[in-house]
Amino acid sequence: MSIKQNLQNIKDTIPNEVTLVAVSKTKPIPDLQEAYNAGQRIFGENKIQEMVQKWETLPKDIEWHMIGHVQRNKVKYMAKFVSLIHGVDSLKLLTEINKQAAKHNRIIPCLLQVHIATEETKFGLNEEELNELLNSEDFKKLKNIQIKGLMGMATFTSDKSQIKKEFNSLKSIYNNTKNSIPTITILSMGMSGDYQIAIKEGSTMVRIGSSIFGVRNYK
Ligand SMILES: *Cc1c(COP(=O)(O)O)cnc(C)c1O
């Protein structure tokens, strides 16, 4: 099936108020152009260098989302154009984003990544660390970043009840966080394999790659 068709199929199954991020990591420019021609304007990448190259080549009305783990020394390459950084999980990283955003007179929207999966390897804060960060004086001084919400990834498993439980726990952390920061509006959860569960559990933004562009070939 074509990229256009895949996009349409997904749009038909998600509510209007849920934002679709087309995860185009590892995919060549013509694939992204095809999605763009079909009306897609939000793309997600997980490597800064790759995102910069695509940003340089493709139309400038695209919103670029960084969905991968960000190395602090590379923030400077995306600071002038990135629309949303999903995977922020430390004050150190936020401080660097703030510094680079200030150089471009920007306020960069960020999501804080919360660890909900059972796997050790997934990045993210637990609820206590999240609250500690949000309540710290150093955080309050950062004027060039804006926390727009939370992001999380469920365990890679076929056990749907496990996935549901994890998304549900993220939703409740999101609700608690919204009490202290009423301006947050984004709960980024759900990928190709689990976005339907994520939406039922309250996701407002899904990050979908392989169901749009086909399986990825890592070389
Ligand atoms: C790759 C990736 C996705 C998309 O994964 P698919 O299973 O291809 O939809 C979503 N979120 C993050 C953080 C990713 O790294």
Side-chain angles (χ1 to χ4, degrees):
M1 244 191 302
S2 69
I3 289 170
K4 182 178 177 177
Q5 197 115 60
N6 290 340
L7 268 172
Q8 195 54 52
N9 290 346
I10 291 164
K11 283 189 194 148
D12 287 346
T13 61
I14 67 177
N16 275 334
E17 62 275 15
V18 173
T19 304
L20 172 61
V21 179
V23 175
S24 48
K25 62 190 186 194
T26 78
K27 295 296 176 181
I29 299 274
D31 286 12
L32 281 74
Q33 186 69 54
E34 199 176 327
Y36 180 89
N37 293 346
Q40 183 64 28
R41 291 293 181 273
I42 306 177
F43 291 86
E45 292 283 335
N46 71 340
K47 297 222 160 55
I48 293 178
Q49 213 53 53
E50 185 179 341
M51 185 170 77
V52 169
Q53 281 167 6
K54 288 171 172 174
W55 167 72
E56 282 168 349
T57 311
L58 284 157
K60 289 293 175 284
D61 61 343
I62 291 176
E63 282 184 34
W64 293 99
H65 288 199
M66 173 44 63
I67 62 167
H69 188 72
V70 176
Q71 285 171 274
R72 264 182 292 147
N73 61 353
K74 293 192 177 155
V75 172
K76 56 179 178 281
Y77 301 116
M78 64 174 171
K80 63 171 173 270
F81 70 90
V82 68
S83 290
L84 183 65
I85 303 176
H86 288 235
V88 181
D89 64 358
S90 75
L91 185 58
K92 265 184 164 175
L93 177 57
L94 263 185
T95 306
E96 175 64 15
I97 296 168
N98 185 74
K99 179 176 150 194
Q100 298 301 333
K103 288 186 186 167
H104 297 281
N105 274 314
R106 293 192 63 202
I107 294 172
I108 296 184
C110 295
L111 304 180
L112 292 172
Q113 183 169 356
V114 180
H115 182 104
I116 51 170
T118 53
E119 291 123 343
E120 285 289 332
T121 53
K122 301 235 164 108
F123 297 100
L125 305 156
N126 63 34
E127 188 168 18
E128 192 185 328
E129 292 163 335
L130 174 71
N131 290 328
E132 203 173 295
L133 191 159
L134 293 174
N135 291 316
S136 77
E137 289 308 314
D138 287 336
F139 168 72
K140 289 170 189 163
K141 286 182 204 145
L142 305 177
K143 299 299 178 209
N144 291 81
I145 53 104
Q146 188 186 18
I147 301 299
K148 298 286 254 182
L150 304 181
M151 178 269 208
M153 289 165 83
T155 302
F156 186 73
T157 171
S158 57
D159 181 353
K160 290 196 167 140
S161 69
Q162 174 73 20
I163 296 170
K164 182 175 148 76
K165 195 174 80 185
E166 290 172 2
F167 284 149
N168 186 272
S169 81
L170 182 53
K171 170 68 174 177
S172 88
I173 295 171
Y174 175 79
N175 286 343
N176 294 341
T177 309
K178 209 167 161 55
N179 284 335
S180 48
I181 317 179
T183 53
I184 71 169
T185 52
I186 301 174
L187 179 55
S188 167
M189 61 184 195
M191 315 179 13
S192 292
D194 57 20
Y195 73 90
Q196 272 138 341
I197 305 173
I199 290 170
K200 280 201 196 104
E201 296 306 316
S203 170
T204 72
M205 183 176 275
V206 290
R207 311 174 308 270
I208 299 181
S210 41
S211 291
I212 298 172
F213 297 104
V215 292
R216 284 177 295 274
N217 216 340
Y218 289 100
K219 283 207 208 79

